[in-house]
Amino acid sequence: GAAPISFNSNKEKRRYAKKMGVVLSRGGMCFNEGMRGFEFGLAYLGWLIHPWALIIATTVVLLVAYRREYSSATLRAMQKWDQKNTD
């Protein structure tokens, strides 16, 4: 559903924003899990070529996934924003 056109109070706005945050967070998490499954599925096709192709492809997928999840510029920006707003 769409957001209401108007809210009766700031409390309603905050409650709605929290609920939408949960919905969007869950959606993003499911999307990421699906992408990971797809990427590893492609890597596992390497088994049809040779066992070493499977090992190499899986290693590459692991490295790319790690870089995207734990050392991305977006993550650093979110951590800076979080530190700035919790002080």
Side-chain angles (χ1 to χ4, degrees):
I5 293 174
S6 64
F7 293 93
N8 294 330
S9 67
N10 281 337
K11 185 178 178 182
E12 274 187 28
K13 285 181 187 178
R14 281 192 289 274
R15 192 170 65 228
Y16 185 80
K18 270 189 178 177
K19 288 180 182 181
M20 287 301 102
V22 169
V23 169
L24 292 173
S25 178
R26 288 181 183 170
M29 192 169 53
C30 288
F31 176 79
N32 285 337
E33 289 172 357
M35 288 301 295
R36 254 183 253 123
F38 181 74
E39 291 162 354
F40 278 106
L42 287 176
Y44 293 150
L45 285 176
W47 180 256
L48 298 174
I49 299 169
H50 193 273
W52 281 106
L54 168 67
I55 293 168
I56 293 168
T58 302
T59 303
V60 168
V61 168
L62 279 172
L63 292 173
V64 169
Y66 178 83
R67 194 185 108 241
R68 286 184 179 174
E69 292 186 31
Y70 298 108
S71 57
S72 68
T74 305
L75 179 63
R76 284 191 299 276
M78 288 173 33
Q79 288 171 337
K80 285 181 185 177
W81 183 84
D82 190 41
Q83 288 172 354
K84 187 171 105 177
N85 290 320
T86 56
D87 292 339

